[in-house]
Structure formats: structure tokens, C-alpha cells
Amino acid sequence: MSDQVAIEFKNVSRVFNVKQDDQAGVVKAVDDVSVQIRDGEFFSLLGPSGSGKTTSLRMIAGFDRPTSGQILLYGQDVSNLPPYERDVNTVFQDYALFPHMTVGENVAYGLMIKKVEKAERDRRVDETLELVRLPGFGGRKPAQLSGGQRQRVALARALINHPKVLLLDEPLGALDLKLRQQMQVELKAIQQSVGITFIFVTHDQEEALTMSDRIAVFNLGKIEQIGTPAAIYEYPITPFVAGFVGVSNLVAGEIAKRITNSDKKFSIRPEKIHLGEANTQVDDDMFFADGKVRDVIYLGLYTRYLVELNGGGDLVVVEQNLKTTSMDVMRVKNQQVRLLWKKEHIRYLGG
Amino acid sequence: MWRRLSTYLYLHPRLVLLLLLLPPLIWFLVIYIGALLTMLVNSFFYLDGFTGQVVRQFTLQTYAKLLIPTNLQIFFRTVAMALAVTIASIIIAFPLSYYMARFASRRMKTFLYLAVTLPLWSSYVVRVYSWKLILAQEGIVSWFARIVHLDGLLSWYLSSKLLGGPSLAVSITGVFIVFLYIWLPYMILPIQTALERVPKSLIEASGDLGAKPAQTFRNVILPLAFPGVIAGSIFTFSLTLGDFIVPSLFGNSSFFIGKAVLTYEGTSGNIPLAAAFTMGPIVIMVVYLLIARKLGAFDAL
């Protein structure tokens, strides 16, 4: 990774005119976004559907153009260049493999367009199929492949062109959990070995946390926060980020005041809270709240408790099942408990 | 009673299948294939020139008669016409279908669907006759040509020995125009359906990989629309091969296969020769389909 900037958004907006029930209106899919993505970075655009992350990606690819603002690719303004004049390649959500071509022809497509010699093409196709661990699959048709294999072909077809930036539009969305986790590790490894900037769109916060060097969290067309996975998770700066990335207890108003003596809104992660017996001793560096366990959900690796606080409000607590068994955890239900956590683990939120 | 019957049928799905397929099978085997076989058999009989009676005796002499130069010319003319109509339909249908499949709004698409299929709701014969009025000597085309002072061009064109005639309504060109008009919907709809099934992401992917729009069209859109083009061309080609009304109404004296069949069968009662003539288009279509299969038109089916 170098300090060079691969992609820069300068006040980029994309406004769509929509017509609903014969009433014209506008939707700001991307609203005045500015961001710099560094060379060689694995950068994720994370957000719920309709947050503007896919539109942003499509504008980098050239399928869509900004209504205002500029997009720079290594310093060059590409805002109004067609896709075929940009040195970026995309891995599509539905893979978009050409059904009438073999795997080899699919992968070679970019080189064929560039009129690369046949022998050189074949050599690079073999090499790239090797990279995505599909050696010898060149002669098959996409229809004969499984979802995970198509995914790899789509990746190979993009990577073979050695683009300056690789765009991935929720490429793992259609895979089952096991395969998805395996591909996450592989994608990251491939990215490190080829050293290309990856821009990865996803709505899955765990996926973003697993793979990214940095994450931009999108909401309603704007970026709420940019940072490393640890920073995003540990130090969310808005209620949206706290709620979207991982699970957070958001506490505000009266309840916040009871706990911290301040009515500032804060978040606390469920796994930071300790579930103690009623009247547990409280140290000076701890906050606490008393309540009654309403619900216990045993999840194997950990157990999730829903605790109704005395005087209103509730908190979710997650505890790892280190020694307990399902029998033990169930016994806590409807018991009076004291929740304790370190003061340093709460995050005061703006907005 | 009904319940027991339902249960019985539910437990014997093959019986249900048989009951469902019986009517179409009878129709198909007896009436459809039966008629074809009767025709095939008849084509191996011959007409006795003196008595005017069909002699039911196996012979190849009817087929030999089929191969005399006049008849070969009829085949050649008909196939050339069918090819010309097919190619012209593709050229006209493709851009329209492309627009319908990729760009038209929902409302526009509905309108175009209606516009394309609307002619099929009215009688074929009436529509063909209305073209008489358009193409006749004192018809709309020549009237319009006079207004824009192109009547010289029109008469120069009509003086062409091969394509012209006394008027557009009595020329090979007239036959071509009317064929193109009546078979065009059969080309538009399958191409449109094929184009509709090409996901937008494939077109984007091609551009993303560096292909300019023309390259995307050649490498992605055209190959994927090809089965639709073939399906449409099967309609336009075979319908033109067999039609006798349009050539009778618009052509000059030159025969087409359909017209020849009608004449031999109806006027001179030479059923064997008419049957042999009809085997022509069937053989041509079989060859056509084999070529289409070789080109990969049915790979996507």
C-alpha cells in the first residue's frame, strides 16, 4: 500500500428523477460524498440497501455518472468517461458471465478486446484460472459451474486485465455461509498477492470487518464514518454506525441519566456487559444497571440475554458459554440481575 | 365417489398423463401426420395424361417431372423470395425489437406490442387486398410519387425487367413488399423476446472489460439474440415458401411454389405433382433447420 490516492470523490452527488403515482420527485442516491481511497487498499462500502453504496460503485465503473462533483482515478477526472475507457474492472453481483462462451473465453474477453495475441491470451487465462483455483476449467460453460465457481470465474475475468482498481458489487451475496467465509479469506489473500486496490460493496457488516483495510459506512446517500474495522466497531461516532456495525445497545434520555448521571446518548456493546448476580459489588470504574432477565437465547458459542431494566428500558447482553451449559443459562430467566460494564466501554454519540 | 376417483388418479399419475395426452396425440398422429403421409404417398403416384386419372402405382416419374427447368425455376424463385423477405424482416425487426427490449418505457412497450400484433387481429385476405389499393397503378404510392415529383424514378424502377412490371401491384417487388408486411410481426416478437432475456449486467460487463458498444453488440448481444432471429426466420421463411395468395394477387405471371401447387391440384387435378411440389418446401425447411442447428441456434433452448 502506498500513499498514492487511487480513487477520489470530490463532492459527488447522484440525483435520480423518479416518478411515483404520476408524481415527479427526486431521490438523492448519493449526496455530496467526498472520500479518498488509497492505492492498494481493500476498501469496503458498507450500508443498507438504498444507502448509495452501489450507486457510488457504479459511478466509479462508469455505468452511472455523477449529477455533480468529480471522480478522480489516480488524479485523472473520469467522471464522464464511458466504462470502456476506464482502467477499472467489476465483479458483478450476478457474476454476469457470458452464457454463450466457455469459461476460458469469458476470462479472455478483456484481452480479446484489446487484441492480445492468442498464445499470450491462453497463457494468461491459464495463469489467472490458477490464481482463482480453477485450473483446467477453461473448456466448460458457465452453466456447468456451481455458484462459488462462477464467482471465481467472474473474479478471474476482471483480474486478468490487471485493472488499476477492482470493483466488487456484493459478489458473495449469493453464496451459502460456509462458502462465503471461505471466499472472504481467499479474496483477501488474492488482493494481497496481486496488490490491486479493491473496492468492495456489501451490506454485511461482518464481511466488511473481516476483509477491509478501511470501511466507509453509508446511510441515506451520505458517508457516516470512515475508518479501520476496529475503529468503526470500537468507536462508532453516530447512532447509525453503532447500530449497523455489530449490535449495540443505544441508551438515551431518562435511562442514560439514571446510569451515567448525564442525559448524553451513548452506546454499549452487548459483549462488554457482564451479567452479575443482584447486589454485586460495583467498582468505581464501572457503570451498572439492575433488571430482570426477560429472555434467554442459547446460541451455542454464546448466549444472548434480554434484560428489562428496573424503571424502564432494556439492554441486550451477550456472554460467551465458557463453562455454562444450556441448562445453566436457562435458569437465569426471570431472575433479578445486575448488569455491570467498564465506564471506558461506553461511547457517547453525536447527532 | 368423486373423492375416490380423485384419490385413485392421484395415486396413478401415469394414467392422468395418458388421459391428458390422448386428445392431442390423436389429433397429432391421425390428422397431422396422417395428412403428411397421405401426401407423401400421393407424390409417388402419377397422373395418366390420356385419361386424366391418378394411377395408384409406385413411380418416380412425378419427381422427375419436378426437376424440369421450369419447375426448378419456380423453386429457385420462391426460395430467393423467402430469403429476401427473411433478411429484410431481420433488418427492420432488429432495431425495433432492440428498442422495445432495452429502452422503451412500460407504456411505450405496451403500445408497440399492440401496434405490432394489431394487424394479426384482422383478416389476412382483407389486409392483403388493402395493399392492392396502395400499390395499384392509380394507388397511394404512385399518387404520392407524383406529388413529390418522384414519378420518374418510380417508372424507371418499374421498367426493370426483373423487379418491375406494369405497376407495383403487378411486380415481384409488390410481392416482396406485401410478404414483408404480413410476416414482419412473426420476426419482431421472437427477437424481442430473446433480447429481453439478455441481462443488462452482461452488456455492462462487456463495456467494463473494454468493449466499445459496437464490439459489445457483435460479441454479446447478437449471439444471444441469434436464437430469436432464427425462430423468427423460420416463420418468415416457411410462411413465404408456402403462401399462394400474395403471388396470385400481386405477382406477374411467374409462379411460386404455393401457386404452382394450387394450380396443379385445383385446376388440372394433378394431385401427385402438387404433392411432390409440396415436398419441396418441407425438404428445404429441414435443410434450413439443420443449418440453423449447426450454427448453434438451438443451443440456448
Side-chain angles (χ1 to χ4, degrees):
Chain A
M1 218 185 298
S2 70
D3 288 340
Q4 219 182 342
V5 176
I7 291 280
E8 178 168 11
F9 273 46
K10 279 185 177 169
N11 306 98
V12 171
S13 293
R14 178 67 173 96
V15 179
F16 289 104
N17 293 310
V18 290
K19 216 173 165 187
Q20 204 171 28
D21 304 326
D22 279 326
Q23 275 198 314
V26 290
V27 170
K28 279 191 174 176
V30 175
D31 188 2
D32 194 26
V33 164
S34 294
V35 59
Q36 291 189 340
I37 298 167
R38 292 193 281 265
D39 177 55
E41 203 170 21
F42 197 121
F43 193 93
S44 289
L45 313 181
L46 174 66
S49 56
S51 62
K53 58 190 195 303
T54 298
T55 307
S56 298
L57 192 84
R58 290 176 60 81
M59 287 193 289
I60 302 174
F63 307 137
D64 215 330
R65 285 198 291 271
T67 313
S68 64
Q70 272 187 320
I71 297 172
L72 307 181
L73 173 65
Y74 287 90
Q76 186 205 356
D77 184 359
V78 296
S79 315
N80 289 308
L81 285 185
Y84 49 88
E85 283 174 18
R86 302 183 186 204
D87 200 359
V88 299
N89 286 121
T90 307
V91 177
F92 290 81
Q93 190 170 15
D94 62 354
Y95 315 141
L97 299 179
F98 305 124
H100 57 297
M101 298 181 193
T102 63
V103 168
E105 287 166 340
N106 264 285
V107 176
Y109 191 82
L111 300 181
M112 181 201 79
I113 294 293
K114 273 184 223 144
K115 302 204 163 62
V116 174
E117 226 176 287
K118 178 92 168 73
E120 162 78 0
R121 240 192 287 166
D122 290 346
R123 193 185 60 74
R124 273 169 69 181
V125 167
D126 287 345
E127 191 184 283
T128 315
L129 284 178
E130 193 90 31
L131 178 72
V132 298
R133 302 202 305 153
L134 283 179
F137 276 68
R140 303 205 196 174
K141 283 280 179 87
Q144 295 168 303
L145 303 183
S146 70
Q149 290 168 335
R150 284 180 214 184
Q151 165 64 58
R152 290 157 199 263
V153 175
L155 187 63
R157 186 177 67 176
L159 279 176
I160 198 170
N161 306 297
H162 300 307
K164 283 185 179 151
V165 174
L166 186 76
L167 309 172
L168 302 106
D169 183 11
E170 307 218 18
L172 308 182
L175 306 180
D176 62 61
L177 183 65
K178 267 265 156 58
L179 196 53
R180 197 157 69 220
Q181 289 171 339
Q182 185 193 336
M183 281 302 293
Q184 287 170 5
V185 177
E186 267 184 53
L187 260 184
K188 181 76 186 166
I190 288 173
Q191 191 260 342
Q192 276 161 354
S193 76
V194 296
I196 294 173
T197 311
F198 275 36
I199 301 179
F200 188 91
V201 161
T202 181
H203 63 266
D204 182 340
Q205 42 98 12
E206 201 181 305
E207 202 163 274
L209 293 174
T210 309
M211 296 194 287
S212 318
D213 294 318
R214 284 196 304 154
I215 299 171
V217 183
F218 275 73
N219 183 35
L220 301 173
K222 286 180 180 294
I223 294 181
E224 297 247 342
Q225 187 173 355
I226 301 175
T228 62
I232 295 270
Y233 189 81
E234 296 285 345
Y235 299 97
I237 56 173
T238 69
F240 176 80
V241 176
F244 191 76
V245 182
V247 181
S248 280
N249 292 295
L250 291 180
V251 187
E254 244 344 271
I255 308 160
K257 198 160 188 178
R258 257 197 344 259
I259 296 172
T260 63
N261 288 322
S262 140
D263 59 359
K264 267 167 86 178
K265 189 191 277 182
F266 70 88
S267 75
I268 175 74
R269 296 284 183 195
E271 72 272 18
K272 305 288 192 206
I273 304 177
H274 172 63
L275 187 84
E277 285 179 24
N279 303 319
T280 308
Q281 174 82 34
V282 182
D283 294 335
D284 282 347
D285 61 344
M286 307 277 260
F287 283 128
F288 76 99
D290 290 328
K292 199 174 179 188
V293 178
R294 266 278 150 260
D295 224 337
V296 179
I297 302 166
Y298 179 76
L299 291 160
L301 187 60
Y302 54 89
T303 303
R304 188 186 299 150
Y305 305 88
L306 181 70
V307 179
E308 194 178 284
L309 301 184
N310 301 340
D314 42 44
L315 288 178
V316 175
V317 179
V318 168
E319 290 218 317
Q320 237 187 309
N321 296 326
L322 292 173
K323 290 181 190 134
T324 47
T325 67
S326 60
M327 296 303 283
D328 298 331
V329 299
M330 288 305 170
R331 227 169 275 142
V332 190
K333 193 163 175 179
N334 291 324
Q335 298 283 312
Q336 194 69 32
V337 291
R338 172 165 285 174
L339 307 178
L340 309 106
W341 62 91
K342 289 214 160 127
K343 287 181 174 171
E344 67 195 61
H345 283 144
I346 70 167
R347 303 285 170 242
Y348 291 105
L349 302 167
Chain B
M1 163 66 189
W2 280 116
R3 232 168 91 181
R4 277 180 55 195
L5 182 66
S6 301
T7 313
Y8 183 79
L9 289 176
Y10 180 81
L11 293 173
H12 298 84
R14 278 169 184 281
L15 183 67
V16 177
L17 196 66
L18 186 71
L19 286 174
L20 281 174
L21 284 182
L22 211 54
L25 271 179
I26 290 173
W27 176 265
F28 194 72
L29 287 178
V30 177
I31 301 181
Y32 202 80
I33 304 283
L36 274 177
L37 281 178
T38 314
M39 199 178 70
L40 184 69
V41 170
N42 266 288
S43 69
F44 289 106
F45 297 156
Y46 70 99
L47 188 83
D48 189 311
F50 289 113
T51 57
Q53 295 292 312
V54 173
V55 181
R56 293 166 183 271
Q57 209 171 51
F58 179 84
T59 173
L60 284 175
Q61 72 180 76
T62 310
Y63 278 101
K65 216 178 261 171
L66 204 61
L67 297 177
I68 61 171
T70 335
N71 288 341
L72 283 180
Q73 219 171 32
I74 293 174
F75 274 114
F76 177 76
R77 187 181 297 123
T78 312
V79 171
M81 176 60 77
L83 272 179
V85 169
T86 299
I87 291 166
S89 313
I90 293 171
I91 291 170
I92 293 178
F94 206 100
L96 183 66
S97 312
Y98 192 73
Y99 170 75
M100 281 170 78
R102 295 273 328 277
F103 299 109
S105 66
R106 280 238 314 246
R107 201 172 290 180
M108 189 61 179
K109 200 188 272 183
T110 312
F111 169 76
L112 286 173
Y113 256 125
L114 276 177
V116 168
T117 50
L118 195 64
L120 305 179
W121 302 0
S122 63
S123 159
Y124 161 89
V125 177
V126 173
R127 284 183 292 132
V128 168
Y129 263 104
S130 72
W131 272 96
K132 262 292 197 224
L133 301 177
I134 299 172
L135 299 177
Q137 197 147 28
E138 293 301 316
I140 295 169
V141 172
S142 55
W143 166 77
F144 186 75
R146 249 196 324 279
I147 288 182
V148 295
H149 298 289
L150 286 174
D151 41 350
L153 188 69
L154 185 64
S155 38
W156 170 81
Y157 182 82
L158 286 174
S159 69
S160 150
K161 204 159 177 204
L162 184 65
L163 304 171
S167 75
L168 277 176
V170 192
S171 68
I172 291 278
T173 309
V175 176
F176 170 79
I177 290 173
V178 178
F179 268 140
L180 183 55
Y181 160 74
I182 52 174
W183 306 141
L184 192 60
Y186 298 97
M187 182 62 87
I188 292 174
L189 296 178
I191 296 183
Q192 198 263 347
T193 311
L195 284 172
E196 199 118 286
R197 292 210 313 233
V198 179
K200 200 175 155 211
S201 63
L202 289 189
I203 294 160
E204 287 181 346
S206 175
D208 187 68
L209 293 163
K212 294 183 180 62
Q215 291 170 310
T216 297
F217 184 80
R218 202 177 56 234
N219 292 315
V220 177
I221 297 170
L222 205 54
L224 291 175
F226 192 61
V229 175
I230 292 295
S233 74
I234 289 170
F235 286 121
T236 57
F237 194 77
S238 66
L239 289 172
T240 309
L241 278 187
D243 191 88
F244 64 92
I245 296 180
V246 174
S248 321
L249 284 177
F250 292 89
N252 43 31
S253 53
S254 46
F255 268 33
F256 284 80
I257 293 177
K259 206 170 151 188
V261 171
L262 181 72
T263 311
Y264 287 125
E265 196 262 322
T267 321
S268 49
N270 193 345
I271 289 183
L273 187 57
F277 248 109
T278 312
M279 294 314 289
I282 292 177
V283 172
I284 292 168
M285 278 318 291
V286 168
V287 172
Y288 187 86
L289 291 178
L290 287 177
I291 294 172
R293 194 180 69 172
K294 193 109 199 193
L295 291 174
F298 307 119
D299 289 0
L301 295 183

PDB file of all heavy atoms in Angstrom, chain B residues 52-67:
ATOM      1  N   GLY B  52     -56.529 -38.637 -67.599  1.00  0.00           N
ATOM      2  CA  GLY B  52     -56.671 -37.618 -66.564  1.00  0.00           C
ATOM      3  C   GLY B  52     -56.924 -38.221 -65.203  1.00  0.00           C
ATOM      4  O   GLY B  52     -57.380 -37.552 -64.293  1.00  0.00           O
ATOM      5  N   GLN B  53     -56.645 -39.547 -65.080  1.00  0.00           N
ATOM      6  CA  GLN B  53     -56.850 -40.220 -63.800  1.00  0.00           C
ATOM      7  C   GLN B  53     -55.515 -40.418 -63.080  1.00  0.00           C
ATOM      8  O   GLN B  53     -54.479 -40.597 -63.705  1.00  0.00           O
ATOM      9  CB  GLN B  53     -57.474 -41.615 -64.036  1.00  0.00           C
ATOM     10  CG  GLN B  53     -58.869 -41.568 -64.618  1.00  0.00           C
ATOM     11  CD  GLN B  53     -59.887 -41.013 -63.649  1.00  0.00           C
ATOM     12  OE1 GLN B  53     -59.922 -41.430 -62.500  1.00  0.00           O
ATOM     13  NE2 GLN B  53     -60.697 -40.064 -64.088  1.00  0.00           N
ATOM     14  N   VAL B  54     -55.569 -40.366 -61.745  1.00  0.00           N
ATOM     15  CA  VAL B  54     -54.373 -40.653 -60.960  1.00  0.00           C
ATOM     16  C   VAL B  54     -54.163 -42.157 -60.933  1.00  0.00           C
ATOM     17  O   VAL B  54     -55.086 -42.914 -60.639  1.00  0.00           O
ATOM     18  CB  VAL B  54     -54.525 -40.129 -59.529  1.00  0.00           C
ATOM     19  CG1 VAL B  54     -53.359 -40.586 -58.663  1.00  0.00           C
ATOM     20  CG2 VAL B  54     -54.619 -38.612 -59.532  1.00  0.00           C
ATOM     21  N   VAL B  55     -52.964 -42.581 -61.328  1.00  0.00           N
ATOM     22  CA  VAL B  55     -52.654 -44.006 -61.308  1.00  0.00           C
ATOM     23  C   VAL B  55     -51.940 -44.336 -60.005  1.00  0.00           C
ATOM     24  O   VAL B  55     -50.876 -43.800 -59.713  1.00  0.00           O
ATOM     25  CB  VAL B  55     -51.756 -44.382 -62.504  1.00  0.00           C
ATOM     26  CG1 VAL B  55     -51.469 -45.877 -62.479  1.00  0.00           C
ATOM     27  CG2 VAL B  55     -52.420 -43.966 -63.799  1.00  0.00           C
ATOM     28  N   ARG B  56     -52.577 -45.204 -59.216  1.00  0.00           N
ATOM     29  CA  ARG B  56     -52.017 -45.512 -57.907  1.00  0.00           C
ATOM     30  C   ARG B  56     -50.990 -46.624 -58.016  1.00  0.00           C
ATOM     31  O   ARG B  56     -51.284 -47.785 -57.757  1.00  0.00           O
ATOM     32  CB  ARG B  56     -53.138 -45.922 -56.948  1.00  0.00           C
ATOM     33  CG  ARG B  56     -54.052 -44.767 -56.651  1.00  0.00           C
ATOM     34  CD  ARG B  56     -55.344 -45.214 -55.984  1.00  0.00           C
ATOM     35  NE  ARG B  56     -56.200 -44.067 -55.789  1.00  0.00           N
ATOM     36  CZ  ARG B  56     -56.156 -43.311 -54.691  1.00  0.00           C
ATOM     37  NH1 ARG B  56     -55.322 -43.598 -53.722  1.00  0.00           N
ATOM     38  NH2 ARG B  56     -56.958 -42.275 -54.585  1.00  0.00           N
ATOM     39  N   GLN B  57     -49.836 -46.231 -58.425  1.00  0.00           N
ATOM     40  CA  GLN B  57     -48.791 -47.209 -58.668  1.00  0.00           C
ATOM     41  C   GLN B  57     -47.476 -46.519 -58.344  1.00  0.00           C
ATOM     42  O   GLN B  57     -47.265 -45.364 -58.741  1.00  0.00           O
ATOM     43  CB  GLN B  57     -48.814 -47.601 -60.149  1.00  0.00           C
ATOM     44  CG  GLN B  57     -48.335 -48.991 -60.404  1.00  0.00           C
ATOM     45  CD  GLN B  57     -48.615 -49.355 -61.855  1.00  0.00           C
ATOM     46  OE1 GLN B  57     -48.250 -48.581 -62.750  1.00  0.00           O
ATOM     47  NE2 GLN B  57     -49.252 -50.487 -62.116  1.00  0.00           N
ATOM     48  N   PHE B  58     -46.610 -47.202 -57.637  1.00  0.00           N
ATOM     49  CA  PHE B  58     -45.363 -46.550 -57.235  1.00  0.00           C
ATOM     50  C   PHE B  58     -44.517 -46.186 -58.448  1.00  0.00           C
ATOM     51  O   PHE B  58     -44.249 -47.016 -59.309  1.00  0.00           O
ATOM     52  CB  PHE B  58     -44.563 -47.466 -56.310  1.00  0.00           C
ATOM     53  CG  PHE B  58     -43.255 -46.840 -55.893  1.00  0.00           C
ATOM     54  CD1 PHE B  58     -43.207 -45.947 -54.818  1.00  0.00           C
ATOM     55  CD2 PHE B  58     -42.090 -47.117 -56.577  1.00  0.00           C
ATOM     56  CE1 PHE B  58     -42.027 -45.361 -54.446  1.00  0.00           C
ATOM     57  CE2 PHE B  58     -40.898 -46.520 -56.201  1.00  0.00           C
ATOM     58  CZ  PHE B  58     -40.873 -45.640 -55.130  1.00  0.00           C
ATOM     59  N   THR B  59     -44.131 -44.889 -58.504  1.00  0.00           N
ATOM     60  CA  THR B  59     -43.285 -44.444 -59.602  1.00  0.00           C
ATOM     61  C   THR B  59     -42.511 -43.212 -59.160  1.00  0.00           C
ATOM     62  O   THR B  59     -42.908 -42.521 -58.214  1.00  0.00           O
ATOM     63  CB  THR B  59     -44.130 -44.088 -60.835  1.00  0.00           C
ATOM     64  OG1 THR B  59     -43.266 -43.509 -61.805  1.00  0.00           O
ATOM     65  CG2 THR B  59     -45.208 -43.072 -60.499  1.00  0.00           C
ATOM     66  N   LEU B  60     -41.392 -42.957 -59.828  1.00  0.00           N
ATOM     67  CA  LEU B  60     -40.635 -41.749 -59.524  1.00  0.00           C
ATOM     68  C   LEU B  60     -40.822 -40.710 -60.618  1.00  0.00           C
ATOM     69  O   LEU B  60     -40.185 -39.670 -60.602  1.00  0.00           O
ATOM     70  CB  LEU B  60     -39.149 -42.092 -59.370  1.00  0.00           C
ATOM     71  CG  LEU B  60     -38.770 -42.769 -58.042  1.00  0.00           C
ATOM     72  CD1 LEU B  60     -37.304 -43.179 -58.062  1.00  0.00           C
ATOM     73  CD2 LEU B  60     -39.069 -41.882 -56.844  1.00  0.00           C
ATOM     74  N   GLN B  61     -41.731 -41.014 -61.586  1.00  0.00           N
ATOM     75  CA  GLN B  61     -41.824 -40.120 -62.734  1.00  0.00           C
ATOM     76  C   GLN B  61     -42.383 -38.741 -62.382  1.00  0.00           C
ATOM     77  O   GLN B  61     -42.070 -37.759 -63.041  1.00  0.00           O
ATOM     78  CB  GLN B  61     -42.648 -40.758 -63.863  1.00  0.00           C
ATOM     79  CG  GLN B  61     -44.128 -40.851 -63.589  1.00  0.00           C
ATOM     80  CD  GLN B  61     -44.843 -41.501 -64.767  1.00  0.00           C
ATOM     81  OE1 GLN B  61     -44.795 -42.704 -64.959  1.00  0.00           O
ATOM     82  NE2 GLN B  61     -45.514 -40.681 -65.559  1.00  0.00           N
ATOM     83  N   THR B  62     -43.200 -38.663 -61.297  1.00  0.00           N
ATOM     84  CA  THR B  62     -43.698 -37.354 -60.876  1.00  0.00           C
ATOM     85  C   THR B  62     -42.540 -36.485 -60.397  1.00  0.00           C
ATOM     86  O   THR B  62     -42.448 -35.301 -60.716  1.00  0.00           O
ATOM     87  CB  THR B  62     -44.738 -37.526 -59.756  1.00  0.00           C
ATOM     88  OG1 THR B  62     -45.690 -38.502 -60.167  1.00  0.00           O
ATOM     89  CG2 THR B  62     -45.447 -36.222 -59.477  1.00  0.00           C
ATOM     90  N   TYR B  63     -41.646 -37.118 -59.610  1.00  0.00           N
ATOM     91  CA  TYR B  63     -40.483 -36.366 -59.138  1.00  0.00           C
ATOM     92  C   TYR B  63     -39.584 -35.963 -60.289  1.00  0.00           C
ATOM     93  O   TYR B  63     -38.974 -34.897 -60.277  1.00  0.00           O
ATOM     94  CB  TYR B  63     -39.701 -37.171 -58.096  1.00  0.00           C
ATOM     95  CG  TYR B  63     -40.317 -37.061 -56.718  1.00  0.00           C
ATOM     96  CD1 TYR B  63     -41.112 -38.076 -56.214  1.00  0.00           C
ATOM     97  CD2 TYR B  63     -40.104 -35.930 -55.949  1.00  0.00           C
ATOM     98  CE1 TYR B  63     -41.691 -37.969 -54.972  1.00  0.00           C
ATOM     99  CE2 TYR B  63     -40.685 -35.809 -54.705  1.00  0.00           C
ATOM    100  CZ  TYR B  63     -41.474 -36.828 -54.210  1.00  0.00           C
ATOM    101  OH  TYR B  63     -42.043 -36.706 -52.996  1.00  0.00           O
ATOM    102  N   ALA B  64     -39.506 -36.831 -61.286  1.00  0.00           N
ATOM    103  CA  ALA B  64     -38.692 -36.486 -62.452  1.00  0.00           C
ATOM    104  C   ALA B  64     -39.253 -35.239 -63.129  1.00  0.00           C
ATOM    105  O   ALA B  64     -38.512 -34.357 -63.558  1.00  0.00           O
ATOM    106  CB  ALA B  64     -38.667 -37.657 -63.432  1.00  0.00           C
ATOM    107  N   LYS B  65     -40.587 -35.166 -63.167  1.00  0.00           N
ATOM    108  CA  LYS B  65     -41.238 -34.004 -63.775  1.00  0.00           C
ATOM    109  C   LYS B  65     -40.946 -32.732 -62.976  1.00  0.00           C
ATOM    110  O   LYS B  65     -40.900 -31.632 -63.515  1.00  0.00           O
ATOM    111  CB  LYS B  65     -42.756 -34.263 -63.833  1.00  0.00           C
ATOM    112  CG  LYS B  65     -43.420 -33.689 -65.075  1.00  0.00           C
ATOM    113  CD  LYS B  65     -44.884 -34.024 -65.086  1.00  0.00           C
ATOM    114  CE  LYS B  65     -45.186 -35.235 -65.976  1.00  0.00           C
ATOM    115  NZ  LYS B  65     -46.577 -35.690 -65.815  1.00  0.00           N
ATOM    116  N   LEU B  66     -40.756 -32.936 -61.679  1.00  0.00           N
ATOM    117  CA  LEU B  66     -40.479 -31.802 -60.795  1.00  0.00           C
ATOM    118  C   LEU B  66     -39.155 -31.141 -61.160  1.00  0.00           C
ATOM    119  O   LEU B  66     -38.960 -29.950 -60.920  1.00  0.00           O
ATOM    120  CB  LEU B  66     -40.414 -32.322 -59.346  1.00  0.00           C
ATOM    121  CG  LEU B  66     -40.682 -31.345 -58.218  1.00  0.00           C
ATOM    122  CD1 LEU B  66     -42.081 -30.780 -58.316  1.00  0.00           C
ATOM    123  CD2 LEU B  66     -40.490 -32.056 -56.894  1.00  0.00           C
ATOM    124  N   LEU B  67     -38.265 -31.943 -61.764  1.00  0.00           N
ATOM    125  CA  LEU B  67     -36.916 -31.441 -61.988  1.00  0.00           C
ATOM    126  C   LEU B  67     -36.720 -30.806 -63.361  1.00  0.00           C
ATOM    127  O   LEU B  67     -35.598 -30.491 -63.735  1.00  0.00           O
ATOM    128  CB  LEU B  67     -35.909 -32.574 -61.787  1.00  0.00           C
ATOM    129  CG  LEU B  67     -35.892 -33.136 -60.357  1.00  0.00           C
ATOM    130  CD1 LEU B  67     -34.919 -34.294 -60.240  1.00  0.00           C
ATOM    131  CD2 LEU B  67     -35.554 -32.058 -59.348  1.00  0.00           C
TER     132      LEU B  67
END
